[in-house]
Amino acid sequence: MSSLSRELVFLILQFLDEEKFKESVHKLEQESGFFFNMRYFEDMVTNGEWEEVEKYLSGFTKVDDNRYSMKIFFEIRKQKYLEALDKRDRAKAVDILVKDLKVFAAFNEELFKEITQLLTLDNFRDNEQLSKYGDTKSARGIMLAELKKLIEANPLFRDKLQFPTLKNSRLRTLINQSLNWQHQLCKNPRPNPDIKTLFVDHSCGQPNGARAPSPVTNHLMGAVPKTGGFPPLGAHGPFQPTPAALPTSLAGWMANSSPVPHPSASAGPMGLAAANNAGALLKRPRTPPTNNPAMDYQTADSEHVMKRSRPFGVTDEANNLPVNILPVAYPNQSHGQSSYSTDDLPRNVVMTINPGSAVKSMDFHPVQQILLLVGTNMGDVMVYELPSHERIAIRNFKAWDLASCSVALQATLANDYTASINRVVWSPDGTLFGVAYSKHLVHIYSYHGGDDLRNHLEIEAHAGSVNDLAFSYPNKQLCVVTCGEDRVIKVWDAVTGAKQHQFEGHEAPVYSVCPHHKESIQFIFSTATDGKIKAWLYDNVGSRVDYDAPGHSSTTMAYSADGSRLFSCGTNKEGDSYLVEWNESEGAVKRTYHGLGKRTVGVVQFDTTKNRFLATGDEFMVKFWDMDNVNLLTSTDADGGLPASPSIRFNKEGILLAVSTNDNGIKILANSDGIRLLRTVESRTFDASRAASVAVVKAPAIGAFGPSNITVGTGIGDRAAPVPAMVGLNNDSRSLADVKPRIVDESIEKSRIWKLTEINEPSQCRSLRLPDNLTAMRVSRLIYTNSGLAILALSSNAVHKLWKWQRNDRTTIGKATASIVPQLWQPASGILMTNDISDTNPEDAVPCFALSKNDSYVMSASGGKISLFNMMTFKTMTTFMPPPPAATYLAFHPQDNNIIAIGMEDSSIQIYNVRVDEVKTKLKGHQKRITGLAFSHVLNVLVSSGADSQLCVWNTDGWERQASKFLQIPSGRAAAPLADTRVQFHLDQIHLLAVHETQIAIYEAPKLECLKQWVPREASGPITHAAYSCDSQSIYVSFEDGSVGVLTATTLRLRCRILPAAYLPPNPR
């Protein structure tokens, strides 16, 4: 909309207000988004007109526009929710929770859990954060003051809070002036014209009339009424036109689509407490730097292409907000503040590997981060396992089906049957990798662990060299994007190899491709050797962007890990190199980094890591920059021997860096975490498939087994090298667990010589003792919470204990770690969660408990009644099912926390509905007590196990038994009469781990086909417990003698043994 059109809207607003069209005034304010009427907003908030409040706000901002907007909507919906609770209208409160507040769970799951917990309280003021909540009127007043601060600081409201200074009835005056001008142009102007319509131009019909009077003195439309409700609000200065939309910007070319917002940012901690104490709930508010000119808050907060253009940037006031509305860094926040230092950079040379020919491309496995994929100038592709320095797989260049190749390619290969590799890259989940060759071909391999590479696809992708290759997820379908010397970009189905799209428009060979997405919009950036940058949607329409790379260089583009910042790096024909960050909303270079040298040959290589650092291979060294500082941060020559432009590649967590060398080698650089990672899993001849045990992802709900967050050789959940779940390009959460584990052929396994790592010294691992000031009792059950924030224990005296890791400078995400001692947590009331034990003999009781999926409730029994506890208040919600028979195992239904599977001492399984206090059905099939239960939400089955060593599969729709099977007890091993059998599902929800004192075994549900069995050596004693690692790539097994074994999940090969001396003190108390 032009500036004059915008000003016309203000004139109409003034006119409507003067004419008392109140509803129309506010409707136009909302629909135009030009003026936010704070007085009207205050009235609605004070009166609690919540629907109208949100409807009015919707004309100016949406929930996910930026952190200020998010907090505005959160405070409003929270207040609405609390008022419903205050009126004891639980039905309305639940409706608000589900429809209005659930959207915030994606940004702060813990907060949403606490909000949900309020439903369980008789008075929400019992919550510490809400203890000072007064009456409705005062609460609204406090919230309104907070909202006004947020609105004033929100960049989307810039220039919208003041109405322009206008003379009264300005629109009437302009119309009068127009009519007077028209009257002056009349051939026969009348002295007193009669104006009857504005729909057509005025003209006087009477001849020989007098000349029209001056427009200044004659108001043809009558007297101007006094102004109404738009008083001048102070001088605003020249009213600036709104910037026009940028349809060709790097973020806005996709039909004005919105880029991905920054859900990780908030104008302040969204908390349960009243608005003036919003910082109380989230323990660690972070203050943005106020004096750092390099911090660009407009990028983080408001870089959104809206349905109408909005000015970008944050007001100066935003940098000086009161403490209660300062930004809080959630996971993935990348630029509000930094806690990084140069010590976080991998600069220490820890090893050298020798591929034997010049390295052209490298890529670390996205999940198994100690695996390095390497491509060379001789066409060799290799997989290295770094801790063992071993090359565990290699494939040489060869056309798999030469007869199907084009005549041109056959002729080329007949003349010279070699090809260099231009690019190697893993798929987002690490199950495939692609290789782009200098001659026509792309090879896609599937990777199954160890040395198991399988030919998947051979594609003759381009005429001439295939210059680059990348994976993408358009329409949630894995694809391969390639570009080549033939100036074309192509998209291929990664499963079938069928060509899906072809993009033409470059006038020079295409040098690189960079697939990405913003919300649901999938697109590809491409760069050519003539320095042109183009962008394409998956629609075959043509290029949507056409820009010049800095210096017309051959350029590679890459996003930061969180996808919020775009960088490029390249070298032109004159040898000048450019490393820049782009402003996507404007399609312009935002900052240019200094410190690159001039070169005579080659193109500078670069990479990004940790949403914080940039690195290039330049001038025989590796150079590093902080993303927010254009000056060189530091550099390293990696002890010498690097080429002028070495290839470089970070692993996913940025703790390892691979750098190519002059002598056809690769140096691995590491920081302290990287060194610890390599030492922890070092084993000379480990199977690479076990390496993913080091990857720590968010643990699933797995009943009493608990998520195992312990890496090889560490104590409680050490996260020296955490690996979040791999997020694909379409926000798909994918990992190796999405692929069925392959049971390796026994003959292959036996052909290899395995060595076992034994950890028997405290210095080889990190462990800690949980503090306990309560009565010391034997721990009967122990699990991690599903969030990984705490450990819950059930003691033999029926008392529960909860240890929490608090957020602080060393554990910013509050996750379990052996580096920080957790706190034994109790509510302010001091009550304990204590099970009913009635007349039960503690020695005969079978303690059991289970956590709900969101960690809000724990269901527990110690031989007596089953208790349901509130995990926030420790209050007992209800007790039910007094013995006999007693409960021996418990499990929550994965889709409904009100449905509980209860294994009983009498061998039955009861499906119980807590809400209606009713047993829905009773399952019978075992002969002895139930010792394990596990749900699969993929197969919709419940698997049960009993002391009879039997497994049963039950359909959760009708609760019919689908299959049953007895464990195969190894010959020569006698099991105790009531030996427990436990079950746990793999992350794929299909493969099942069965644990018995004589063995562990892998079954495939629902048919219960036994795929693999492992029997320990008798010297260790019986197995006491076993569980999958949180990524399901390893299995941890504990033994009666106190030792712990670590096995590869796919092969059940023992890789590591942790002896008791490594973690138990000499004289444990």
Side-chain angles (χ1 to χ4, degrees):
M1 184 177 286
S2 69
S3 174
L4 291 179
S5 297
R6 190 172 186 274
E7 292 181 359
L8 178 59
V9 171
F10 283 106
L11 297 180
I12 296 171
L13 286 172
Q14 184 193 47
F15 172 78
L16 292 173
D17 187 70
E18 290 170 347
E19 295 297 317
K20 309 301 181 187
F21 294 113
K22 295 299 184 184
E23 290 187 12
S24 300
V25 169
H26 302 313
K27 186 66 175 176
L28 181 56
E29 290 168 353
Q30 174 200 331
E31 290 192 339
S32 68
F34 291 154
F35 175 64
F36 185 83
N37 192 326
M38 187 68 81
R39 185 186 304 173
Y40 174 60
F41 179 74
E42 291 174 5
D43 290 343
M44 289 191 293
V45 171
T46 301
N47 296 330
E49 299 169 4
W50 304 122
E51 288 189 14
E52 291 302 315
V53 167
E54 288 212 22
K55 186 183 296 183
Y56 189 67
L57 277 171
S58 69
F60 302 88
T61 186
K62 300 192 296 293
V63 173
D64 57 1
D65 273 351
N66 60 39
R67 58 182 181 233
Y68 303 97
S69 300
M70 184 181 297
K71 182 135 170 62
I72 290 168
F73 281 96
F74 174 77
E75 291 295 337
I76 291 168
R77 295 177 184 182
K78 182 187 74 176
Q79 181 63 29
K80 181 168 61 168
Y81 176 65
L82 294 178
E83 290 182 15
L85 289 176
D86 214 19
K87 295 175 182 176
R88 303 194 180 279
D89 189 345
R90 295 300 173 93
K92 183 177 181 181
V94 170
D95 188 63
I96 294 168
L97 182 71
V98 174
K99 293 182 179 179
D100 296 337
L101 287 168
K102 192 170 183 179
V103 65
F104 301 103
F107 311 118
N108 192 330
E109 187 176 357
E110 291 302 310
L111 175 59
F112 183 72
K113 291 177 186 176
E114 295 208 38
I115 294 173
T116 305
Q117 290 282 351
L118 298 180
L119 287 168
T120 66
L121 304 178
D122 293 332
N123 185 341
F124 63 78
R125 293 173 181 83
D126 292 343
N127 182 287
E128 292 180 14
Q129 309 299 330
L130 298 170
S131 59
K132 296 182 180 180
Y133 185 96
D135 57 16
T136 298
K137 183 177 180 180
S138 63
R140 288 178 182 175
I142 292 170
M143 180 189 67
L144 182 59
E146 177 79 357
L147 293 179
K148 289 174 70 174
K149 293 176 183 177
L150 289 166
I151 290 169
E152 290 166 0
N154 194 327
L156 296 180
F157 288 83
R158 178 182 290 176
D159 295 342
K160 297 180 181 181
L161 300 178
Q162 286 188 324
F163 198 83
T165 302
L166 303 175
K167 291 184 178 180
N168 294 346
S169 303
R170 178 61 181 161
L171 184 60
R172 289 177 178 275
T173 300
L174 291 174
I175 293 174
N176 271 315
Q177 290 173 349
S178 172
L179 292 173
N180 277 314
W181 180 251
Q182 292 174 34
H183 186 54
Q184 282 185 318
L185 297 178
C186 288
K187 294 182 179 179
N188 301 299
R190 295 177 182 178
N192 295 299
D194 183 18
I195 305 297
K196 295 182 178 180
T197 181
L198 297 177
F199 293 162
V200 295
D201 290 346
H202 161 71
S203 64
C204 293
Q206 181 178 343
N208 301 320
R211 183 177 177 82
S214 165
V216 176
T217 58
N218 185 22
H219 292 281
L220 294 178
M221 294 182 66
V224 177
K226 292 183 179 180
T227 186
F230 277 108
L233 299 177
H236 186 77
F239 207 88
Q240 299 298 321
T242 304
L246 299 170
T248 59
S249 71
L250 292 180
W253 45 265
M254 301 165 292
N256 287 345
S257 66
S258 291
V260 173
H262 292 253
S264 58
S266 164
M270 297 184 295
L272 292 179
N276 65 339
N277 190 28
L281 184 62
L282 295 181
K283 308 297 189 296
R284 193 170 179 247
R286 294 182 176 183
T287 307
T290 56
N291 300 313
N292 186 354
M295 299 301 291
D296 295 283
Y297 283 88
Q298 67 271 24
T299 302
D301 298 325
S302 56
E303 210 168 82
H304 302 274
V305 182
M306 308 300 291
K307 63 182 180 182
R308 55 183 173 271
S309 301
R310 293 175 175 174
F312 298 117
V314 174
T315 58
D316 293 336
E317 293 84 358
N319 285 333
N320 297 284
L321 297 176
V323 68
N324 58 321
I325 57 171
L326 286 174
V328 167
Y330 292 106
N332 297 330
Q333 180 169 351
S334 61
H335 32 302
Q337 63 99 41
S338 172
S339 60
Y340 295 111
S341 72
T342 55
D343 291 337
D344 294 307
L345 293 169
R347 293 185 295 165
N348 302 304
V349 178
V350 293
M351 70 177 67
T352 300
I353 54 180
N354 295 288
S357 50
V359 174
K360 299 286 289 184
S361 179
M362 300 175 289
D363 196 25
F364 280 93
H365 195 283
V367 178
Q368 304 181 49
Q369 295 193 61
I370 55 170
L371 299 185
L372 180 65
L373 180 65
V374 178
T376 74
N377 67 337
M378 298 304 293
D380 300 327
V381 58
M382 316 169 194
V383 179
Y384 279 88
E385 186 198 56
L386 298 184
S388 64
H389 299 217
E390 270 194 35
R391 185 182 67 196
I392 58 176
I394 182 172
R395 294 293 184 271
N396 307 116
F397 172 71
K398 178 182 179 181
W400 299 344
D401 187 1
L402 186 59
S404 299
C405 296
S406 67
V407 174
L409 177 55
Q410 291 186 39
T412 301
L413 295 179
N415 184 50
D416 180 11
Y417 203 93
T418 61
S420 174
I421 290 176
N422 289 325
R423 179 75 153 170
V424 292
V425 63
W426 291 101
S427 64
D429 63 1
T431 59
L432 302 174
F433 66 79
V435 185
Y437 292 100
S438 61
K439 293 180 180 178
H440 298 244
L441 291 178
V442 164
H443 282 168
I444 307 296
Y445 290 89
S446 61
Y447 180 65
H448 301 266
D451 61 356
D452 191 359
L453 301 183
R454 303 182 190 177
N455 297 354
H456 178 58
L457 290 174
E458 180 174 67
I459 303 171
E460 187 171 351
H462 296 273
S465 175
V466 184
N467 291 334
D468 200 10
L469 173 149
F471 287 92
S472 68
Y473 271 108
N475 304 315
K476 297 186 178 180
Q477 179 183 9
L478 184 63
C479 291
V480 179
V481 183
T482 64
C483 65
E485 192 177 8
D486 55 4
R487 308 179 182 183
V488 176
I489 300 104
K490 297 180 183 181
V491 181
W492 314 85
D493 187 303
V495 176
T496 66
K499 185 172 71 174
Q500 296 184 326
H501 302 281
Q502 178 166 316
F503 306 123
E504 300 180 11
H506 278 290
E507 297 177 359
V510 185
Y511 182 73
S512 70
V513 288
C514 177
H516 198 59
H517 73 109
K518 296 288 185 180
E519 290 185 349
S520 61
I521 307 299
Q522 301 279 342
F523 58 95
I524 304 167
F525 281 119
S526 63
T527 69
T529 55
D530 60 358
K532 290 292 184 183
I533 299 173
K534 295 181 182 291
W536 319 78
L537 294 179
Y538 294 84
D539 57 7
N540 296 323
V541 170
S543 172
R544 306 302 180 92
V545 163
D546 192 350
Y547 287 122
D548 289 327
H552 296 277
S553 55
S554 294
T555 294
T556 303
M557 307 187 81
Y559 277 88
S560 56
D562 62 4
S564 66
R565 305 175 72 175
L566 176 63
F567 302 90
S568 71
C569 183
T571 304
N572 63 15
K573 296 176 181 178
E574 288 73 37
D576 298 316
S577 296
Y578 302 86
L579 176 62
V580 303
E581 179 179 4
W582 290 85
N583 185 326
E584 288 187 84
S585 65
E586 298 178 6
V589 172
K590 180 177 179 178
R591 56 168 61 90
T592 300
Y593 298 91
H594 308 312
L596 288 174
K598 194 176 181 72
R599 61 187 18 76
T600 57
V601 65
V603 176
V604 66
Q605 306 290 309
F606 92 116
D607 202 1
T608 71
T609 186
K610 289 188 175 181
N611 299 316
R612 194 62 187 171
F613 296 116
L614 300 169
T616 66
D618 182 49
E619 295 186 305
F620 307 96
M621 65 182 72
V622 181
K623 298 179 178 179
F624 300 94
W625 288 261
D626 184 300
M627 288 181 177
D628 294 319
N629 193 323
V630 298
N631 296 313
L632 185 66
L633 176 64
T634 188
S635 63
T636 178
D637 65 357
D639 298 339
L642 303 187
S645 301
S647 295
I648 63 170
R649 190 67 172 172
F650 285 105
N651 75 338
K652 183 177 175 63
E653 286 303 309
I655 60 178
L656 300 175
L657 176 65
V659 186
S660 64
T661 66
N662 254 333
D663 57 357
N664 299 337
I666 299 171
K667 290 188 177 183
I668 304 300
L669 282 62
N671 63 10
S672 57
D673 287 337
I675 294 171
R676 187 181 302 117
L677 167 65
L678 295 173
R679 287 178 178 172
T680 299
V681 297
E682 188 170 5
S683 154
R684 275 85 57 193
T685 51
F686 269 16
D687 174 6
S689 63
R690 67 91 186 89
S693 64
V694 181
V696 178
V697 297
K698 183 175 180 180
I702 48 179
F705 275 91
S708 176
N709 291 332
I710 305 176
T711 57
V712 180
T714 65
I716 297 174
D718 188 88
R719 282 170 172 75
V723 181
M726 182 63 200
V727 177
L729 293 177
N730 208 27
N731 285 333
D732 293 333
S733 229
R734 302 171 65 89
S735 73
L736 280 182
D738 296 329
V739 181
K740 289 186 180 181
R742 172 181 159 274
I743 305 303
V744 176
D745 182 31
E746 195 72 29
S747 62
I748 298 177
E749 286 288 292
K750 290 180 178 178
S751 68
R752 304 177 67 172
I753 299 173
W754 301 100
K755 295 181 181 178
L756 179 68
T757 294
E758 288 202 346
I759 295 176
N760 53 22
E761 297 289 340
S763 61
Q764 293 177 275
C765 66
R766 183 179 297 167
S767 62
L768 59 81
R769 185 186 181 114
L770 298 179
D772 188 355
N773 54 15
L774 300 177
T775 304
M777 298 295 291
R778 179 174 58 87
V779 175
S780 302
R781 294 288 182 265
L782 185 73
I783 58 173
Y784 280 100
T785 57
N786 297 307
S787 65
L789 298 170
I791 286 178
L792 180 66
L794 174 57
S795 299
S796 58
N797 63 350
V799 174
H800 298 78
K801 299 176 182 180
L802 181 67
W803 289 270
K804 287 186 177 181
W805 275 265
Q806 303 296 328
R807 291 180 174 86
N808 58 39
D809 290 338
R810 295 173 66 189
T811 56
T812 56
I813 58 173
K815 296 287 187 180
T817 171
S819 302
I820 303 294
V821 178
Q823 297 179 4
L824 181 63
W825 189 87
Q826 285 182 274
S829 62
I831 64 174
L832 299 174
M833 291 188 290
T834 305
N835 282 335
D836 167 66
I837 53 176
S838 57
D839 299 326
T840 306
N841 182 349
E843 297 300 321
D844 297 333
V846 181
C848 55
F849 64 3
L851 275 169
S852 63
K853 188 175 181 180
N854 60 4
D855 294 332
S856 298
Y857 302 98
V858 61
M859 175 177 55
S860 183
S862 296
K865 294 180 183 178
I866 300 171
S867 301
L868 184 67
F869 298 101
N870 183 311
M871 282 282 282
M872 184 174 75
T873 63
F874 281 16
K875 289 183 178 179
T876 304
M877 308 301 297
T878 185
T879 59
F880 53 95
M881 287 195 180
T888 56
Y889 205 90
L890 303 166
F892 280 95
H893 192 287
Q895 272 89 38
D896 187 349
N897 280 339
N898 292 301
I899 304 299
I900 300 170
I902 305 171
M904 309 299 287
E905 194 173 33
D906 67 356
S907 78
S908 68
I909 302 166
Q910 302 199 24
I911 307 302
Y912 179 76
N913 189 314
V914 179
R915 184 185 295 277
V916 298
D917 189 21
E918 176 182 272
V919 176
K920 294 181 62 178
T921 189
K922 185 179 289 189
L923 311 179
K924 294 184 178 180
H926 289 275
Q927 283 76 51
K928 296 181 181 180
R929 73 182 184 202
I930 304 302
T931 59
L933 295 168
F935 282 97
S936 169
H937 60 79
V938 170
L939 299 175
N940 292 323
V941 299
L942 169 68
V943 176
S944 60
S945 59
D948 55 3
S949 303
Q950 184 184 193
L951 307 178
C952 293
V953 179
W954 313 86
N955 185 293
T956 56
D957 294 329
W959 298 108
E960 301 92 358
R961 185 165 65 171
Q962 287 186 317
S964 65
K965 183 167 289 190
F966 285 91
L967 297 181
Q968 303 166 13
I969 304 300
S971 59
R973 299 286 181 102
L978 291 176
D980 287 354
T981 302
R982 298 292 176 87
V983 285
Q984 178 191 351
F985 270 106
H986 185 284
L987 280 182
D988 66 8
Q989 296 285 290
I990 296 172
H991 292 85
L992 183 79
L993 172 66
V995 183
H996 187 262
E997 64 175 30
T998 65
Q999 64 182 284
I1000 63 172
I1002 305 296
Y1003 289 83
E1004 186 170 42
K1007 295 182 179 180
L1008 293 181
E1009 177 188 355
C1010 185
L1011 304 177
K1012 204 74 177 173
Q1013 183 188 53
W1014 182 77
V1015 178
R1017 58 189 177 96
E1018 293 190 48
S1020 300
I1023 293 172
T1024 57
H1025 197 76
Y1028 276 118
S1029 62
C1030 57
D1031 59 5
S1032 292
Q1033 299 301 305
S1034 294
I1035 297 172
Y1036 297 93
V1037 185
S1038 61
F1039 299 92
E1040 193 175 58
D1041 66 356
S1043 63
V1044 178
V1046 184
L1047 287 78
T1048 301
T1050 54
T1051 63
L1052 296 190
R1053 287 284 176 175
L1054 183 63
R1055 299 290 170 246
C1056 175
R1057 183 183 294 116
I1058 305 170
L1059 301 180
Y1063 68 93
L1064 289 179
N1067 298 304
R1069 288 177 293 147

